[in-house]
Coordinates of all heavy atoms in Angstrom, one line a residue:
M1 N 59.3 53.3 9.8 CA 58.1 52.5 9.4 C 57.9 52.4 7.9 O 57.6 51.4 7.4 CB 56.9 53.2 10.1 CG 55.6 52.5 9.9 SD 55.5 51.0 10.8 CE 53.8 50.6 10.6
S2 N 58.1 53.5 7.2 CA 57.9 53.5 5.8 C 58.9 52.6 5.1 O 58.7 52.0 4.0 CB 57.9 54.9 5.2 OG 59.1 55.5 5.3
T3 N 60.2 52.6 5.6 CA 61.2 51.7 5.1 C 60.8 50.3 5.2 O 61.0 49.5 4.3 CB 62.6 52.0 5.8 OG1 62.8 53.4 5.8 CG2 63.7 51.2 5.1
L4 N 60.3 49.9 6.4 CA 59.9 48.5 6.6 C 58.7 48.2 5.7 O 58.7 47.1 5.2 CB 59.4 48.4 8.1 CG 59.4 47.0 8.6 CD1 60.7 46.3 8.4 CD2 59.0 47.0 10.1
M5 N 57.8 49.1 5.4 CA 56.7 48.9 4.6 C 57.1 48.7 3.1 O 56.7 47.8 2.4 CB 55.6 50.0 4.6 CG 54.4 49.7 3.8 SD 53.2 51.1 3.9 CE 52.6 51.0 5.5
A6 N 58.1 49.5 2.7 CA 58.6 49.4 1.3 C 59.4 48.1 1.1 O 59.2 47.4 0.1 CB 59.6 50.6 1.1
L7 N 60.1 47.7 2.2 CA 60.8 46.4 2.1 C 59.8 45.2 2.0 O 60.0 44.3 1.3 CB 61.7 46.3 3.3 CG 62.7 45.1 3.3 CD1 63.6 45.3 2.1 CD2 63.5 45.1 4.6
G8 N 58.7 45.3 2.7 CA 57.6 44.3 2.7 C 57.0 44.2 1.3 O 56.7 43.1 0.8
I9 N 56.8 45.4 0.7 CA 56.2 45.4 -0.6 C 57.1 44.8 -1.6 O 56.7 44.0 -2.5 CB 55.8 46.9 -1.0 CG1 54.6 47.3 -0.2 CG2 55.5 47.0 -2.5 CD1 54.3 48.8 -0.4
V10 N 58.4 45.1 -1.5 CA 59.4 44.5 -2.4 C 59.5 43.0 -2.3 O 59.5 42.2 -3.3 CB 60.8 45.2 -2.2 CG1 61.9 44.4 -2.9 CG2 60.8 46.6 -2.6
V11 N 59.4 42.5 -1.0 CA 59.5 41.1 -0.8 C 58.2 40.4 -1.4 O 58.3 39.4 -2.0 CB 59.6 40.8 0.7 CG1 59.4 39.3 1.0 CG2 61.0 41.2 1.2
L12 N 57.1 41.0 -1.2 CA 55.8 40.4 -1.7 C 55.9 40.4 -3.2 O 55.4 39.5 -3.9 CB 54.6 41.2 -1.2 CG 54.3 40.9 0.3 CD1 53.1 41.8 0.7 CD2 53.9 39.5 0.5
A13 N 56.4 41.5 -3.8 CA 56.5 41.6 -5.3 C 57.4 40.5 -5.8 O 57.1 39.8 -6.8 CB 57.0 42.9 -5.7
L14 N 58.5 40.3 -5.1 CA 59.5 39.2 -5.6 C 58.8 37.8 -5.4 O 59.0 37.0 -6.3 CB 60.8 39.3 -4.8 CG 61.7 40.5 -5.1 CD1 62.9 40.6 -4.2 CD2 62.1 40.4 -6.5
I15 N 58.1 37.6 -4.4 CA 57.4 36.3 -4.2 C 56.4 36.1 -5.3 O 56.3 35.1 -5.9 CB 56.7 36.3 -2.8 CG1 57.8 36.2 -1.7 CG2 55.8 35.1 -2.7 CD1 57.2 36.3 -0.3
G16 N 55.6 37.2 -5.6 CA 54.7 37.1 -6.7 C 55.3 36.8 -8.0 O 54.8 36.0 -8.8
L17 N 56.5 37.5 -8.3 CA 57.2 37.2 -9.5 C 57.7 35.8 -9.6 O 57.7 35.1 -10.6 CB 58.3 38.2 -9.7 CG 57.9 39.6 -10.1 CD1 59.2 40.5 -10.1 CD2 57.3 39.6 -11.5
G18 N 58.1 35.3 -8.4 CA 58.6 33.9 -8.4 C 57.5 32.9 -8.7 O 57.7 31.9 -9.4
I19 N 56.3 33.2 -8.1 CA 55.2 32.3 -8.3 C 54.8 32.3 -9.8 O 54.5 31.3 -10.4 CB 54.0 32.7 -7.4 CG1 54.4 32.3 -6.0 CG2 52.7 32.0 -7.8 CD1 53.4 32.8 -4.9
A20 N 54.8 33.5 -10.4 CA 54.4 33.7 -11.8 C 55.4 32.9 -12.7 O 55.1 32.3 -13.7 CB 54.3 35.1 -12.2
A21 N 56.7 33.1 -12.3 CA 57.8 32.4 -13.1 C 57.6 30.9 -13.0 O 57.8 30.2 -14.0 CB 59.1 32.8 -12.6
M22 N 57.3 30.4 -11.8 CA 57.1 28.9 -11.6 C 55.9 28.4 -12.4 O 56.0 27.4 -13.1 CB 56.9 28.6 -10.2 CG 58.2 28.5 -9.4 SD 58.0 27.7 -7.8 CE 56.5 28.2 -7.1
F23 N 54.8 29.2 -12.4 CA 53.6 28.8 -13.2 C 54.0 28.8 -14.7 O 53.6 27.9 -15.4 CB 52.5 29.8 -12.9 CG 51.3 29.6 -13.7 CD1 50.4 28.5 -13.4 CD2 51.0 30.4 -14.8 CE1 49.3 28.3 -14.1 CE2 49.8 30.1 -15.5 CZ 49.0 29.1 -15.2
L24 N 54.6 29.8 -15.2 CA 55.0 29.9 -16.6 C 55.9 28.7 -16.9 O 55.7 28.1 -18.0 CB 55.7 31.2 -16.9 CG 56.0 31.5 -18.4 CD1 54.7 31.4 -19.2 CD2 56.7 32.8 -18.5
H25 N 56.8 28.4 -16.1 CA 57.8 27.3 -16.3 C 57.0 26.0 -16.4 O 57.2 25.1 -17.2 CB 58.8 27.2 -15.1 CG 59.9 26.3 -15.3 ND1 61.0 26.6 -16.1 CD2 60.1 25.1 -14.8 CE1 61.8 25.6 -16.1 NE2 61.3 24.7 -15.3
M26 N 56.0 25.8 -15.5 CA 55.2 24.6 -15.5 C 54.4 24.5 -16.8 O 54.2 23.4 -17.4 CB 54.3 24.5 -14.3 CG 55.1 24.2 -13.0 SD 54.1 24.3 -11.5 CE 52.6 23.4 -11.9
V27 N 53.8 25.6 -17.2 CA 53.0 25.6 -18.4 C 53.9 25.2 -19.6 O 53.4 24.4 -20.5 CB 52.3 27.0 -18.6 CG1 51.8 27.1 -20.0 CG2 51.2 27.2 -17.6
V28 N 55.1 25.8 -19.7 CA 56.0 25.5 -20.8 C 56.3 24.0 -20.8 O 56.3 23.3 -21.9 CB 57.2 26.4 -20.8 CG1 58.3 25.9 -21.7 CG2 56.9 27.8 -21.1
W29 N 56.6 23.4 -19.7 CA 57.0 22.0 -19.6 C 55.8 21.1 -19.9 O 55.9 20.1 -20.6 CB 57.5 21.6 -18.2 CG 58.9 21.9 -18.0 CD1 59.5 22.9 -17.4 CD2 60.0 21.0 -18.5 NE1 60.9 22.8 -17.5 CE2 61.2 21.6 -18.1 CE3 60.0 19.8 -19.1 CZ2 62.4 21.0 -18.4 CZ3 61.2 19.2 -19.4 CH2 62.4 19.8 -19.1
L30 N 54.6 21.5 -19.5 CA 53.4 20.8 -19.8 C 53.1 20.8 -21.3 O 52.8 19.7 -21.9 CB 52.2 21.3 -19.1 CG 50.9 20.6 -19.2 CD1 51.0 19.2 -18.7 CD2 49.7 21.3 -18.5
L31 N 53.2 21.9 -22.0 CA 53.0 22.0 -23.4 C 54.1 21.2 -24.2 O 53.8 20.6 -25.2 CB 53.0 23.5 -23.9 CG 51.8 24.3 -23.5 CD1 52.0 25.8 -23.9 CD2 50.6 23.8 -24.0
G32 N 55.3 21.3 -23.7 CA 56.4 20.5 -24.3 C 56.1 19.0 -24.2 O 56.4 18.2 -25.1
A33 N 55.6 18.5 -23.0 CA 55.3 17.1 -22.8 C 54.2 16.7 -23.8 O 54.2 15.6 -24.4 CB 54.9 16.9 -21.4
I34 N 53.2 17.5 -23.9 CA 52.0 17.2 -24.8 C 52.5 17.2 -26.2 O 52.2 16.2 -27.0 CB 50.9 18.3 -24.6 CG1 50.2 18.1 -23.3 CG2 49.9 18.1 -25.8 CD1 49.3 19.2 -22.9
L35 N 53.4 18.1 -26.6 CA 53.9 18.1 -28.0 C 54.8 16.9 -28.2 O 54.7 16.2 -29.3 CB 54.7 19.4 -28.3 CG 55.3 19.5 -29.6 CD1 54.2 19.6 -30.7 CD2 56.2 20.7 -29.7
G36 N 55.6 16.5 -27.2 CA 56.4 15.3 -27.3 C 55.6 14.1 -27.5 O 56.0 13.2 -28.3
L37 N 54.5 13.9 -26.7 CA 53.7 12.7 -26.8 C 53.0 12.7 -28.2 O 52.8 11.6 -28.8 CB 52.6 12.7 -25.7 CG 53.1 12.2 -24.4 CD1 52.0 12.4 -23.3 CD2 53.5 10.8 -24.4
L38 N 52.6 13.9 -28.7 CA 52.0 13.9 -30.0 C 52.9 13.5 -31.1 O 52.6 12.6 -31.9 CB 51.5 15.3 -30.3 CG 50.8 15.6 -31.6 CD1 49.4 14.8 -31.6 CD2 50.5 17.0 -31.9
I39 N 54.2 13.9 -31.0 CA 55.2 13.5 -32.0 C 55.5 12.0 -31.8 O 55.6 11.3 -32.8 CB 56.5 14.3 -31.8 CG1 56.2 15.8 -32.3 CG2 57.7 13.7 -32.6 CD1 57.3 16.7 -31.9
Y40 N 55.5 11.5 -30.6 CA 55.8 10.1 -30.3 C 54.8 9.2 -30.9 O 55.1 8.1 -31.4 CB 55.9 9.9 -28.8 CG 56.3 8.5 -28.3 CD1 57.6 8.2 -28.2 CD2 55.3 7.6 -28.0 CE1 58.0 6.9 -27.8 CE2 55.7 6.3 -27.6 CZ 57.0 6.0 -27.5 OH 57.4 4.7 -27.1
F41 N 53.5 9.6 -30.9 CA 52.4 8.8 -31.4 C 52.0 9.1 -32.8 O 50.9 8.6 -33.2 CB 51.2 8.8 -30.4 CG 51.4 8.1 -29.2 CD1 51.7 8.7 -28.0 CD2 51.4 6.7 -29.2 CE1 51.9 8.0 -26.8 CE2 51.6 5.9 -28.0 CZ 51.8 6.6 -26.8
I42 N 52.8 9.8 -33.6 CA 52.4 10.1 -34.9 C 52.2 8.9 -35.8 O 51.2 8.8 -36.5 CB 53.5 11.0 -35.6 CG1 53.3 12.5 -35.1 CG2 53.4 11.0 -37.1 CD1 54.3 13.4 -35.7
P43 N 53.0 7.8 -35.7 CA 52.7 6.6 -36.5 C 51.3 6.0 -36.1 O 50.5 5.6 -37.0 CB 53.8 5.6 -36.1 CG 54.9 6.5 -35.7 CD 54.3 7.7 -35.0
S44 N 50.9 6.0 -34.8 CA 49.6 5.5 -34.4 C 48.5 6.4 -34.9 O 47.4 5.9 -35.3 CB 49.6 5.3 -32.9 OG 50.5 4.4 -32.5
I45 N 48.7 7.7 -34.9 CA 47.7 8.6 -35.3 C 47.5 8.4 -36.8 O 46.3 8.4 -37.3 CB 48.1 10.1 -34.9 CG1 48.1 10.2 -33.4 CG2 47.2 11.1 -35.6 CD1 48.8 11.5 -33.0
I46 N 48.5 8.3 -37.6 CA 48.4 8.1 -39.0 C 47.7 6.8 -39.3 O 46.8 6.7 -40.2 CB 49.8 8.2 -39.7 CG1 50.3 9.6 -39.6 CG2 49.7 7.7 -41.1 CD1 51.7 9.7 -40.1
A47 N 48.1 5.7 -38.6 CA 47.4 4.4 -38.8 C 45.9 4.5 -38.5 O 45.1 3.9 -39.2 CB 48.1 3.4 -38.0
A48 N 45.6 5.2 -37.4 CA 44.2 5.3 -37.1 C 43.4 6.1 -38.1 O 42.3 5.8 -38.5 CB 44.0 6.0 -35.7
A49 N 44.0 7.2 -38.6 CA 43.4 8.1 -39.6 C 43.2 7.3 -40.9 O 42.2 7.6 -41.6 CB 44.2 9.3 -39.8
R50 N 44.1 6.4 -41.3 CA 44.0 5.7 -42.5 C 43.3 4.4 -42.4 O 43.1 3.7 -43.4 CB 45.4 5.4 -43.0 CG 46.2 6.6 -43.4 CD 47.5 6.3 -44.1 NE 47.2 5.7 -45.4 CZ 47.6 4.5 -45.9 NH1 48.2 3.7 -45.1 NH2 47.3 4.1 -47.1
H51 N 42.7 4.1 -41.2 CA 42.0 2.9 -41.0 C 42.9 1.7 -41.3 O 42.5 0.8 -42.1 CB 40.7 2.8 -41.7 CG 39.8 3.9 -41.4 ND1 39.1 4.0 -40.2 CD2 39.5 5.1 -42.1 CE1 38.4 5.2 -40.2 NE2 38.6 5.8 -41.3
H52 N 44.1 1.7 -40.8 CA 45.1 0.7 -41.1 C 44.6 -0.7 -40.7 O 44.0 -0.8 -39.6 CB 46.4 1.1 -40.4 CG 47.6 0.3 -40.8 ND1 47.9 -1.0 -40.5 CD2 48.7 0.7 -41.6 CE1 49.0 -1.4 -41.0 NE2 49.5 -0.4 -41.7
E53 N 44.9 -1.7 -41.5 CA 44.4 -3.0 -41.2 C 45.0 -3.5 -39.9 O 44.3 -4.3 -39.1 CB 44.9 -3.9 -42.3 CG 44.3 -5.3 -42.2 CD 44.7 -6.2 -43.4 OE1 45.7 -5.9 -44.1 OE2 44.1 -7.2 -43.6
H54 N 46.2 -3.1 -39.5 CA 46.9 -3.6 -38.3 C 47.1 -2.5 -37.4 O 48.2 -2.3 -36.8 CB 48.2 -4.3 -38.7 CG 48.0 -5.5 -39.5 ND1 47.5 -6.7 -39.1 CD2 48.3 -5.7 -40.8 CE1 47.4 -7.5 -40.1 NE2 47.9 -7.0 -41.1
F55 N 46.1 -1.6 -37.2 CA 46.3 -0.4 -36.3 C 46.7 -0.8 -34.9 O 47.5 -0.2 -34.3 CB 45.0 0.4 -36.3 CG 44.9 1.3 -35.1 CD1 45.7 2.5 -35.1 CD2 44.1 1.1 -34.1 CE1 45.7 3.3 -34.0 CE2 44.0 2.0 -33.0 CZ 44.9 3.1 -33.0
L56 N 46.1 -1.9 -34.4 CA 46.4 -2.3 -33.0 C 47.8 -2.6 -32.8 O 48.5 -2.3 -31.8 CB 45.5 -3.4 -32.6 CG 45.5 -3.8 -31.1 CD1 45.1 -2.6 -30.2 CD2 44.6 -4.9 -30.8
W57 N 48.4 -3.3 -33.8 CA 49.8 -3.7 -33.7 C 50.7 -2.5 -33.8 O 51.7 -2.4 -33.2 CB 50.2 -4.7 -34.8 CG 49.8 -6.1 -34.5 CD1 48.8 -6.8 -35.0 CD2 50.4 -6.9 -33.5 NE1 48.8 -8.1 -34.4 CE2 49.8 -8.1 -33.4 CE3 51.5 -6.7 -32.6 CZ2 50.1 -9.1 -32.6 CZ3 51.8 -7.7 -31.7 CH2 51.1 -8.9 -31.7
V58 N 50.3 -1.5 -34.7 CA 51.1 -0.3 -34.8 C 51.1 0.4 -33.5 O 52.1 0.9 -33.0 CB 50.6 0.6 -35.9 CG1 51.2 2.0 -35.9 CG2 50.7 -0.1 -37.3
L59 N 49.9 0.5 -32.8 CA 49.8 1.2 -31.5 C 50.6 0.5 -30.5 O 51.4 1.2 -29.7 CB 48.3 1.3 -31.1 CG 48.1 1.9 -29.8 CD1 48.5 3.4 -29.8 CD2 46.6 1.8 -29.4
I60 N 50.5 -0.8 -30.4 CA 51.3 -1.6 -29.3 C 52.8 -1.4 -29.5 O 53.5 -1.1 -28.6 CB 50.8 -3.0 -29.3 CG1 49.4 -3.2 -28.8 CG2 51.8 -3.9 -28.5 CD1 48.8 -4.5 -29.0
L61 N 53.2 -1.6 -30.8 CA 54.7 -1.5 -31.0 C 55.1 0.0 -30.9 O 56.3 0.2 -30.5 CB 55.0 -2.0 -32.5 CG 54.8 -3.5 -32.6 CD1 55.0 -3.8 -34.1 CD2 55.8 -4.2 -31.8
N62 N 54.3 0.9 -31.1 CA 54.6 2.3 -30.9 C 54.8 2.6 -29.4 O 55.7 3.3 -29.0 CB 53.5 3.2 -31.5 CG 53.9 4.7 -31.6 OD1 53.1 5.5 -32.0 ND2 55.2 5.0 -31.4
I63 N 53.9 2.0 -28.6 CA 54.1 2.2 -27.2 C 55.3 1.6 -26.6 O 56.1 2.2 -25.9 CB 52.8 1.7 -26.4 CG1 51.6 2.5 -26.7 CG2 53.0 1.6 -24.9 CD1 50.3 1.9 -26.3
V64 N 55.6 0.3 -27.1 CA 56.7 -0.4 -26.6 C 58.1 0.0 -27.2 O 59.0 0.1 -26.4 CB 56.5 -1.9 -26.8 CG1 57.7 -2.7 -26.3 CG2 55.2 -2.4 -26.1
L65 N 58.1 0.2 -28.5 CA 59.4 0.4 -29.1 C 59.5 1.8 -29.8 O 60.6 2.1 -30.4 CB 59.6 -0.7 -30.3 CG 59.6 -2.1 -29.8 CD1 59.7 -3.0 -31.0 CD2 60.8 -2.3 -28.9
G66 N 58.6 2.6 -29.6 CA 58.6 3.9 -30.3 C 59.7 4.8 -29.9 O 60.2 5.7 -30.6
W67 N 60.3 4.6 -28.7 CA 61.4 5.4 -28.1 C 62.6 5.2 -29.0 O 63.5 6.1 -29.0 CB 61.7 5.0 -26.7 CG 61.9 3.6 -26.5 CD1 61.1 2.6 -26.2 CD2 63.2 3.0 -26.6 NE1 61.7 1.4 -26.1 CE2 63.0 1.6 -26.3 CE3 64.5 3.4 -26.9 CZ2 64.0 0.7 -26.4 CZ3 65.5 2.5 -26.9 CH2 65.3 1.1 -26.7
S68 N 62.8 4.1 -29.6 CA 64.0 3.9 -30.5 C 63.7 4.5 -31.8 O 62.6 4.3 -32.4 CB 64.3 2.4 -30.6 OG 63.6 1.8 -31.6
G69 N 64.6 5.3 -32.3 CA 64.4 6.0 -33.5 C 64.1 5.1 -34.7 O 63.3 5.4 -35.6
I70 N 64.8 4.0 -34.8 CA 64.7 3.1 -35.9 C 63.3 2.5 -36.0 O 62.6 2.4 -37.0 CB 65.8 2.0 -35.9 CG1 67.1 2.6 -36.1 CG2 65.5 0.9 -36.9 CD1 68.3 1.7 -35.8
A71 N 62.8 2.0 -34.8 CA 61.5 1.4 -34.8 C 60.4 2.5 -35.1 O 59.4 2.2 -35.7 CB 61.2 0.8 -33.4
W72 N 60.6 3.7 -34.6 CA 59.7 4.8 -34.9 C 59.6 5.0 -36.4 O 58.5 5.2 -36.9 CB 60.1 6.0 -34.1 CG 59.1 7.1 -34.1 CD1 58.0 7.3 -33.3 CD2 59.0 8.2 -35.1 NE1 57.3 8.4 -33.6 CE2 57.9 9.0 -34.7 CE3 59.7 8.5 -36.2 CZ2 57.5 10.1 -35.4 CZ3 59.3 9.7 -36.9 CH2 58.2 10.4 -36.5
I73 N 60.7 5.0 -37.1 CA 60.7 5.3 -38.5 C 60.0 4.1 -39.2 O 59.3 4.3 -40.2 CB 62.1 5.5 -39.0 CG1 62.6 6.9 -38.5 CG2 62.2 5.5 -40.5 CD1 64.1 7.1 -38.7
I74 N 60.3 2.9 -38.8 CA 59.7 1.7 -39.4 C 58.2 1.7 -39.2 O 57.4 1.4 -40.2 CB 60.3 0.4 -38.9 CG1 61.8 0.3 -39.4 CG2 59.5 -0.8 -39.3 CD1 62.6 -0.8 -38.7
L75 N 57.8 2.1 -38.0 CA 56.3 2.2 -37.8 C 55.7 3.3 -38.6 O 54.5 3.1 -39.1 CB 56.1 2.4 -36.3 CG 56.3 1.2 -35.4 CD1 56.3 1.6 -33.9 CD2 55.3 0.1 -35.6
M76 N 56.4 4.4 -38.8 CA 55.9 5.5 -39.6 C 55.7 5.0 -41.1 O 54.6 5.2 -41.7 CB 56.8 6.7 -39.6 CG 56.4 7.8 -40.4 SD 55.0 8.7 -39.7 CE 55.8 9.8 -38.7
V77 N 56.7 4.3 -41.6 CA 56.5 3.8 -43.0 C 55.4 2.8 -43.1 O 54.6 2.8 -44.0 CB 57.9 3.1 -43.4 CG1 57.7 2.4 -44.7 CG2 58.9 4.2 -43.5
W78 N 55.3 1.9 -42.1 CA 54.2 0.9 -42.0 C 52.9 1.5 -42.0 O 51.9 1.1 -42.6 CB 54.5 -0.1 -40.9 CG 53.6 -1.3 -40.9 CD1 53.0 -1.9 -41.9 CD2 53.2 -2.1 -39.7 NE1 52.2 -3.0 -41.5 CE2 52.4 -3.1 -40.2 CE3 53.5 -2.0 -38.4 CZ2 51.9 -4.1 -39.3 CZ3 53.0 -3.0 -37.5 CH2 52.2 -4.0 -38.0
A79 N 52.8 2.6 -41.2 CA 51.5 3.2 -41.0 C 51.1 3.9 -42.3 O 49.9 3.9 -42.7 CB 51.5 4.3 -39.9
I80 N 52.0 4.5 -43.0 CA 51.7 5.2 -44.3 C 51.5 4.2 -45.4 O 50.5 4.4 -46.2 CB 52.9 6.1 -44.6 CG1 52.9 7.3 -43.6 CG2 52.7 6.7 -46.0 CD1 54.1 8.2 -43.7
L81 N 52.3 3.1 -45.5 CA 52.2 2.2 -46.7 C 51.3 1.0 -46.4 O 51.1 0.3 -47.4 CB 53.6 1.8 -47.1 CG 54.6 2.9 -47.5 CD1 55.9 2.3 -47.8 CD2 54.0 3.7 -48.7
G82 N 50.9 0.8 -45.2 CA 50.1 -0.4 -44.9 C 48.7 -0.4 -45.6 O 48.2 0.6 -46.1
E83 N 48.1 -1.6 -45.6 CA 46.8 -1.8 -46.2 C 45.8 -1.1 -45.4 O 45.7 -1.2 -44.2 CB 46.5 -3.3 -46.3 CG 47.5 -4.1 -47.1 CD 46.9 -4.7 -48.3 OE1 45.7 -4.7 -48.4 OE2 47.7 -5.2 -49.1
R84 N 44.8 -0.5 -46.1 CA 43.7 0.1 -45.5 C 42.5 -0.8 -45.5 O 42.4 -1.6 -46.3 CB 43.3 1.4 -46.2 CG 44.4 2.5 -46.2 CD 44.0 3.6 -47.1 NE 43.0 4.4 -46.3 CZ 42.6 5.6 -46.7 NH1 43.1 6.1 -47.8 NH2 41.8 6.3 -46.0
R85 N 41.7 -0.6 -44.5 CA 40.4 -1.4 -44.5 C 39.3 -0.4 -44.5 O 39.5 0.8 -44.1 CB 40.3 -2.3 -43.3 CG 40.3 -1.6 -42.0 CD 40.3 -2.6 -40.9 NE 40.8 -1.9 -39.7 CZ 40.2 -1.9 -38.6 NH1 39.2 -2.7 -38.3 NH2 40.7 -1.2 -37.6
E86 N 38.2 -0.8 -45.0 CA 37.0 0.1 -45.0 C 36.5 0.4 -43.6 O 36.4 -0.5 -42.8 CB 35.9 -0.5 -45.9 CG 35.0 0.5 -46.5 CD 34.1 -0.1 -47.5 OE1 34.6 -0.9 -48.3 OE2 32.9 0.3 -47.5
P87 N 36.2 1.7 -43.3 CA 35.7 1.9 -42.0 C 34.4 1.2 -41.7 O 33.6 1.0 -42.7 CB 35.4 3.4 -42.0 CG 36.2 4.0 -43.1 CD 36.4 2.8 -44.1
P88 N 34.1 0.7 -40.5 CA 32.9 -0.1 -40.3 C 31.6 0.5 -40.6 O 30.7 -0.1 -41.2 CB 33.0 -0.4 -38.8 CG 34.4 -0.1 -38.4 CD 34.9 0.9 -39.3
L89 N 31.5 1.8 -40.4 CA 30.2 2.5 -40.7 C 30.0 2.6 -42.2 O 28.9 2.4 -42.7 CB 30.1 3.9 -40.0 CG 30.0 3.9 -38.5 CD1 30.1 5.3 -38.0 CD2 28.8 3.2 -38.1
R90 N 31.0 2.9 -42.9 CA 30.9 3.0 -44.4 C 30.5 1.6 -45.0 O 29.8 1.5 -45.9 CB 32.2 3.6 -44.9 CG 32.0 4.0 -46.4 CD 33.2 4.7 -46.9 NE 33.6 5.8 -46.1 CZ 34.8 6.4 -46.2 NH1 35.7 6.0 -46.9 NH2 35.0 7.5 -45.4
K91 N 31.1 0.6 -44.4 CA 30.9 -0.8 -44.9 C 29.4 -1.2 -44.6 O 28.7 -1.7 -45.5 CB 31.8 -1.7 -44.2 CG 31.8 -3.1 -44.8 CD 32.8 -4.0 -44.1 CE 32.8 -5.4 -44.6 NZ 33.8 -6.3 -44.0
L92 N 28.9 -0.8 -43.4 CA 27.5 -1.2 -43.1 C 26.6 -0.4 -44.0 O 25.6 -1.0 -44.4 CB 27.3 -0.8 -41.6 CG 27.9 -1.8 -40.6 CD1 27.6 -1.3 -39.2 CD2 27.3 -3.2 -40.7
S93 N 26.8 0.9 -44.2 CA 25.9 1.6 -45.0 C 25.9 1.1 -46.5 O 24.9 1.1 -47.1 CB 26.2 3.1 -44.9 OG 27.5 3.4 -45.5
A94 N 27.1 0.7 -47.0 CA 27.2 0.2 -48.3 C 26.4 -1.2 -48.4 O 25.7 -1.4 -49.4 CB 28.6 0.0 -48.7
D95 N 26.6 -2.0 -47.4 CA 25.8 -3.3 -47.4 C 24.3 -3.1 -47.3 O 23.6 -3.7 -48.0 CB 26.3 -4.1 -46.2 CG 27.6 -4.7 -46.3 OD1 28.2 -4.7 -47.5 OD2 28.2 -5.2 -45.3
A96 N 23.9 -2.1 -46.5 CA 22.5 -1.8 -46.4 C 21.9 -1.3 -47.8 O 20.8 -1.6 -48.2 CB 22.2 -0.8 -45.3
F97 N 22.7 -0.5 -48.5 CA 22.3 0.1 -49.7 C 22.2 -1.1 -50.8 O 21.3 -1.1 -51.6 CB 23.3 1.1 -50.2 CG 23.0 1.7 -51.6 CD1 21.9 2.6 -51.7 CD2 23.7 1.3 -52.7 CE1 21.6 3.1 -52.9 CE2 23.4 1.9 -53.9 CZ 22.3 2.7 -54.0
N98 N 23.2 -2.0 -50.8 CA 23.2 -3.1 -51.7 C 22.0 -4.0 -51.5 O 21.4 -4.5 -52.4 CB 24.5 -3.9 -51.6 CG 25.6 -3.1 -52.2 OD1 25.4 -2.2 -53.0 ND2 26.8 -3.4 -51.8
H99 N 21.6 -4.3 -50.2 CA 20.5 -5.1 -49.9 C 19.1 -4.5 -50.3 O 18.2 -5.1 -50.7 CB 20.5 -5.5 -48.4 CG 21.5 -6.5 -48.1 ND1 21.5 -7.8 -48.6 CD2 22.6 -6.4 -47.3 CE1 22.6 -8.5 -48.2 NE2 23.2 -7.7 -47.4
S100 N 19.0 -3.2 -50.1 CA 17.8 -2.5 -50.5 C 17.6 -2.4 -52.0 O 16.5 -2.2 -52.5 CB 17.7 -1.1 -49.8 OG 18.7 -0.3 -50.3
A101 N 18.7 -2.4 -52.7 CA 18.6 -2.3 -54.2 C 18.2 -3.5 -54.9 O 17.7 -3.5 -56.0 CB 20.0 -1.8 -54.7
R102 N 18.2 -4.7 -54.2 CA 17.9 -6.0 -54.8 C 16.4 -6.2 -54.8 O 15.5 -6.0 -54.5 CB 18.5 -7.1 -54.0 CG 20.0 -7.1 -54.1 CD 20.5 -8.3 -53.4 NE 22.0 -8.2 -53.4 CZ 22.8 -9.0 -52.8 NH1 22.3 -10.0 -52.0 NH2 24.1 -8.9 -52.9

């Protein structure tokens, strides 16, 4: 009886270790996928942060052609060197200030 109980405990422990290993494996894959997407969309993130004049085009081309290394590099350069536009809120507050000063 005690041998059967010990064998059951060992089996349950191995099942528990297998479940823990699968969970850890899934977490690592999920973090890798998130990191991969973050790297994939770096040109779009930079364009958004810089208030790029053609942010929408950078995003669309990043989605469609970002998988090719050459297009990704070109989009990165375009996002960094492209023209900036003033953020809408800053522009509105500056216009309001100019009108109240008159």
Side-chain angles (χ1 to χ4, degrees):
M1 180 76 170
S2 65
T3 308
L4 199 55
M5 186 183 285
L7 194 58
I9 291 172
V10 168
V11 168
L12 287 175
L14 288 175
I15 290 172
L17 285 174
I19 291 171
M22 279 193 324
F23 176 74
L24 185 61
H25 190 79
M26 287 174 46
V27 167
V28 167
W29 273 99
L30 183 63
L31 290 175
I34 291 170
L35 182 64
L37 281 173
L38 183 68
I39 291 170
Y40 185 84
F41 284 107
I42 283 177
S44 298
I45 294 168
I46 290 173
R50 294 188 71 240
H51 303 286
H52 195 283
E53 184 178 21
H54 299 289
F55 163 71
L56 190 60
W57 278 110
V58 172
L59 178 64
I60 291 170
L61 291 173
N62 193 185
I63 291 170
V64 175
L65 299 174
W67 56 268
S68 85
I70 294 170
W72 189 88
I73 291 170
I74 291 170
L75 287 169
M76 179 71 86
V77 170
W78 189 25
I80 292 171
L81 299 178
E83 300 243 350
R84 296 175 78 169
R85 63 184 160 132
E86 203 170 320
L89 291 177
R90 195 175 298 165
K91 186 176 181 181
L92 287 175
S93 63
D95 288 345
F97 179 75
N98 288 336
H99 286 296
S100 64
R102 290 181 187 174

